[in-house]
Amino acid sequence: MTTFLMISYLIGVGVLSLPSAFVSLGWVPGVLLLTGIVFITTVTGLYMWKLHLKYPHIRNYAAMYYHFFGRVGQVIGGTLTYLMFFGIMTADFLTAALSWKSLFQGHHVCVTVWFVIPFFVALVIGQLRSLHGISWVAFVGALCIFLPIVMTCSKVPELSKGAHAYTTIAGNSFVNGVVAMTDIVFAFAGHLIFYEFMAEMKNVHDFPKALLVSQMVGYVFCMFTAAFVYVYLGNTPILKSPVTLSLPHDTLRDAINVILIIHVTAPSVMGGNVLTRAVQRWLQCWGRRRFEDTSLPQRVSFFFWSLLVYGAGFLVASAIPFFNELIGLLAALVGSSNSVGMPAIMYLIRFHKRTSWWNWILALSCICIGYALLGIGSYAGVYTIIQAVGDHGTPFSCDRVI
């Protein structure tokens, strides 16, 4: 079940943007970058597992920050981590709302109205208070990302007729290449939730199995989608990001939108569950707060805090027109650190006396790459926000676009 949680959280709708990333990067940088990122994030995931075995009482990233860097580290690192959880949850609300809008394109319903549906769905399913309970939702969510990939790719050869597609060895635009690189990097930057996964596993020694399976499944589907679509639609005006926008408005595209709506429910509920627990832990001053407590007062209090969390996501997604671009900047600041750089730093601090020379080199490489990605990704995030301002409508507007 941990495998399905990982797959559903890691392999999101971002995979459908990877063909456009290959257009900007070209074959060699695209393949090397995707392969390298999968390898590095697998290594840092194993570092986090080693740390959890040493400190099994630590159940989240904020607590791990506190252990290594004290109160200041917990406040800074924990705040950024939970902001990232909130950003991913809210971005999933936005994806679902825009998919609903696409389904009923001719009905002129304000997109803010469509935000109400994912909000209520997440609120109801979010009453599953453990990640094990949510793992059954993740199982469905995992299937609902694979199906759109297969359905979209089945239509691509037909779309390519007369398109005069071509591929390149390498891209020729630095800015576009940097933006594309961040799409690939953050497709595998889901480590911020790994400690919560490990804390609920019956046997945490099985975590590497779940990690390796989810990483390899993600790699295969990401590489297949990017390469297949790139071959057929590369460097043509037909190719859009995500690639589902390249499809004509017909029954197939509507079916894909419905399946994507189901998929984004799982990661939004996972993030909402973690956030609700954190808010409840910080603010609730009465009664027991463990999700094993199924008494009515605890269920009512959990509902109240989850209503607060999901309601805040609804308001933010509706109020910020360029939220997808904003979450890209947040992912650069948090994802590259929490998924690549920080696990290696913590690993070396704890195990530096027992670490072999080659593991030292590997860990130091992860640190350098992680914080280089932070700088480059921040540049790309600011650039895309500047480009997006004015193109997405006004707060709570009815003409939001992707």
Side-chain angles (χ1 to χ4, degrees), residues 115-134:
F115 278 113
V116 175
I117 299 177
F119 161 71
F120 275 110
V121 170
L123 181 62
V124 172
I125 299 178
Q127 301 314 301
L128 295 169
R129 296 165 59 198
S130 70
L131 289 173
H132 175 69
I134 296 173

Side-chain angles (χ1 to χ4, degrees), residues 76 124 185 262 312 364:
I76 297 174
V124 172
V185 170
I262 298 172
L364 290 174

Side-chain angles (χ1 to χ4, degrees), residues 58 60-67 73-74 77-79 81-82 281-282:
I58 294 179
N60 54 67
Y61 226 132
M64 194 65 80
Y65 271 109
Y66 177 78
H67 177 83
Q74 182 188 33
T79 299
T81 299
Y82 287 119
R281 187 168 59 248
W282 297 333

Side-chain angles (χ1 to χ4, degrees), residues 5-50:
L5 283 167
M6 286 185 172
I7 290 175
S8 187
Y9 203 73
L10 292 174
I11 308 175
V13 293
V15 67
L16 299 171
S17 297
L18 293 184
S20 295
F22 267 49
V23 170
S24 300
L25 291 168
W27 277 117
V28 174
V31 171
L32 289 179
L33 183 62
L34 181 56
T35 304
I37 289 301
V38 171
F39 173 75
I40 291 171
T41 52
T42 302
V43 169
T44 54
L46 292 174
Y47 286 163
M48 294 176 70
W49 173 64
K50 291 284 188 181

Side-chain angles (χ1 to χ4, degrees), residues 85-295:
F85 275 119
F86 182 78
I88 294 174
M89 179 193 73
T90 309
D92 290 329
F93 282 4
L94 178 60
T95 299
L98 294 175
S99 296
W100 280 110
K101 180 184 177 183
S102 178
L103 280 171
F104 296 91
Q105 192 169 28
H107 291 73
H108 305 292
V109 178
C110 182
V111 70
T112 303
V113 175
W114 296 122
F115 278 113
V116 175
I117 299 177
F119 161 71
F120 275 110
V121 170
L123 181 62
V124 172
I125 299 178
Q127 301 314 301
L128 295 169
R129 296 165 59 198
S130 70
L131 289 173
H132 175 69
I134 296 173
S135 65
W136 295 100
V137 182
F139 172 77
V140 177
L143 294 179
C144 289
I145 192 58
F146 298 144
L147 287 175
I149 292 173
V150 174
M151 294 166 69
T152 301
C153 289
S154 69
K155 193 75 172 179
V156 165
E158 181 181 339
L159 294 175
S160 68
K161 294 177 180 179
H164 306 292
Y166 66 93
T167 61
T168 59
I169 298 298
N172 55 14
S173 170
F174 173 76
V175 173
N176 291 339
V178 168
V179 174
M181 183 186 69
T182 59
D183 289 339
I184 293 177
V185 170
F186 303 123
F188 291 87
H191 293 50
L192 68 166
I193 200 172
F194 280 6
Y195 287 122
E196 281 84 357
F197 287 165
M198 287 184 275
E200 288 194 31
M201 291 186 72
K202 291 183 178 179
N203 182 6
V204 74
H205 291 279
D206 286 334
F207 179 81
K209 302 174 187 176
L211 176 66
L212 292 173
V213 171
S214 63
Q215 290 285 96
M216 288 308 302
V217 170
Y219 176 72
V220 169
F221 271 86
C222 286
M223 185 65 76
F224 169 78
T225 305
F228 184 86
V229 178
Y230 184 43
V231 167
Y232 280 99
L233 297 178
N235 297 287
T236 67
I238 298 175
L239 180 59
K240 302 290 190 302
S241 180
V243 67
T244 49
L245 294 179
S246 303
L247 301 176
H249 287 276
D250 56 11
T251 304
L252 178 65
R253 180 165 169 173
D254 289 343
I256 290 173
N257 277 323
V258 171
I259 297 172
L260 288 177
I261 290 169
I262 298 172
H263 163 73
V264 297
T265 300
S268 66
V269 171
M270 275 186 263
N273 177 275
V274 172
L275 281 169
T276 300
R277 288 196 223 173
V279 172
Q280 187 179 32
R281 187 168 59 248
W282 297 333
L283 301 180
Q284 182 171 318
C285 56
W286 67 89
R288 297 167 60 191
R289 285 166 280 184
R290 293 176 62 83
F291 57 76
E292 291 91 342
D293 183 356
T294 58
S295 64

